[in-house]
Amino acid sequence: MSQHPEYVRRSRQLRADMTEAELKLWSRLSRGQLNGWKFHRQVPIGAYFVDFLCLEGRLIVEVDGSQHLDQQLQYDSERDAWLQSQGFKVLRFWNNQVLAETEGVLASILQGLTPPPDPLPQGEGEFGPADVEWMRHALVLAQQASAEGEVPVGALLVKDGAIIGEGWNRPITTHDPSAHAEMIALRAAAAKLGNYRLPGTTLYVTLEPCIMCAGAIVHARVSRLVFGAPDPKAGAVESVYDVIARPRLNHVVEWRGGVLEQECGAVLRAFFRARR
């Protein structure tokens, strides 16, 4: 999904020119109001903009005017076929249908989301024994941070079943505000591989990454993120922001949260309790 300035300008224009029907539908789809499903407005996919996108459910919702020329219908058909070839399901509604039958339209959208067609592998869900073992290793690294008087967060990067980089929080020790556990692990892995891109890797971290670390994870093209405890004050995966899975970014990271959540949270609580 392109980040070209022309796409950004076009998206802003489309957002500003929303029809009454689009505004009404967006008021019901935004901020996860439809049973928690997250929709995004005016998202570029390839050469097209889509009205509403639920990335997790791979569902696109389009709202059209009440009159379409044959040429427009042919264009829509070709457009929908291409979007479907990319793994998306497309639902189309007329403006007057949205305005007069809003609840029915929402029910149709929910039906398209339940179960989600070909869902992206992200969010809390199943994780394997290897994930648990790697997270236990990350907890050992977090204890190292605690021993140095740092907030106990540990992280490691795994590729092909082997650790290629690891670290723990060290901003106080190094006088470096960017020295979070994830950043240190990413730097070590990049140095080891001789590449600032890290595809095919999984990053394990005991605490949900912040905005800075989430951005670095995306830039590094990490394939998968597994974290332990959520961070309700600064988490940038699901708690406060959803940087990891923003559909307009040029890389979407698969993620799992809640692996050894209680153990990871207990380490943090014990650290801050001792400091009070």
Side-chain angles (χ1 to χ4, degrees):
M1 298 183 188
S2 176
Q3 286 295 100
H4 191 279
E6 179 58 33
Y7 278 85
V8 177
R9 287 193 294 271
R10 178 66 175 145
S11 179
R12 287 173 178 168
Q13 178 186 341
L14 289 167
R15 286 172 184 266
D17 296 338
M18 291 173 70
T19 66
E20 182 183 355
E22 289 172 329
L23 283 168
K24 185 170 186 177
L25 190 56
W26 183 233
S27 72
R28 303 292 295 277
L29 295 179
S30 61
R31 298 183 298 278
Q33 294 180 94
L34 191 67
N35 286 16
W37 290 98
K38 290 185 179 180
F39 279 83
H40 305 272
R41 167 74 181 147
Q42 288 301 339
V43 179
I45 301 179
Y48 305 106
F49 277 88
V50 300
D51 288 339
F52 306 104
L53 167 67
C54 178
L55 184 64
E56 293 83 354
R58 305 293 281 179
L59 180 69
I60 291 169
V61 177
E62 294 287 292
V63 179
D64 296 330
S66 57
Q67 292 183 350
H68 261 35
L69 301 175
D70 290 342
Q71 184 179 3
Q72 182 65 40
L73 289 171
Q74 181 180 352
Y75 170 81
D76 286 345
S77 178
E78 294 173 353
R79 180 179 186 272
D80 291 356
W82 184 86
L83 290 168
Q84 288 164 6
S85 74
Q86 303 302 304
F88 295 99
K89 180 178 180 180
V90 182
L91 295 180
R92 286 186 174 274
F93 302 97
W94 299 114
N95 280 332
N96 56 1
Q97 185 180 7
V98 172
L99 292 172
E101 306 168 22
T102 307
E103 298 304 322
V105 167
L106 291 170
S108 296
I109 294 172
L110 264 178
Q111 187 174 5
L113 288 165
T114 312
D118 301 323
L120 287 182
Q122 56 193 39
E124 292 192 16
E126 294 298 322
F127 45 85
D131 291 334
V132 174
E133 290 307 309
W134 289 126
M135 189 61 72
R136 292 196 188 284
H137 185 89
L139 277 167
V140 172
L141 298 172
Q143 293 290 2
Q144 181 64 38
S146 181
E148 296 180 6
E150 302 273 5
V151 175
V153 178
L156 60 133
L157 215 69
V158 174
K159 183 177 175 66
D160 298 327
I163 297 173
I164 59 172
E166 62 182 32
W168 54 87
N169 266 5
R170 303 197 75 207
I172 299 171
T173 307
T174 60
H175 311 295
D176 179 0
S178 71
H180 287 194
E182 303 97 310
M183 301 293 285
I184 294 173
L186 288 169
R187 290 169 185 160
K192 182 178 181 66
L193 298 182
N195 191 346
Y196 73 109
R197 301 294 197 203
L198 301 169
T201 61
T202 298
L203 177 66
Y204 294 90
V205 59
T206 56
L207 181 66
E208 180 183 357
C210 67
I211 296 176
M212 174 184 69
C213 295
I217 291 166
V218 171
H219 282 301
R221 305 295 194 271
V222 170
S223 296
R224 185 168 179 259
L225 166 71
V226 178
F227 67 85
D231 186 346
K233 294 184 177 180
V237 178
E238 62 171 350
S239 295
V240 182
Y241 302 100
D242 58 349
V243 174
I244 289 295
R246 292 294 293 176
R248 292 185 63 183
L249 293 176
N250 53 9
H251 178 65
V252 176
V253 181
E254 174 190 341
W255 64 271
R256 288 285 183 267
V259 179
L260 296 184
E261 177 180 346
Q262 295 303 317
E263 293 90 333
C264 293
V267 170
L268 287 160
R269 289 190 293 272
F271 174 80
F272 287 112
R273 191 163 49 241
R275 292 172 63 93
R276 291 193 184 103

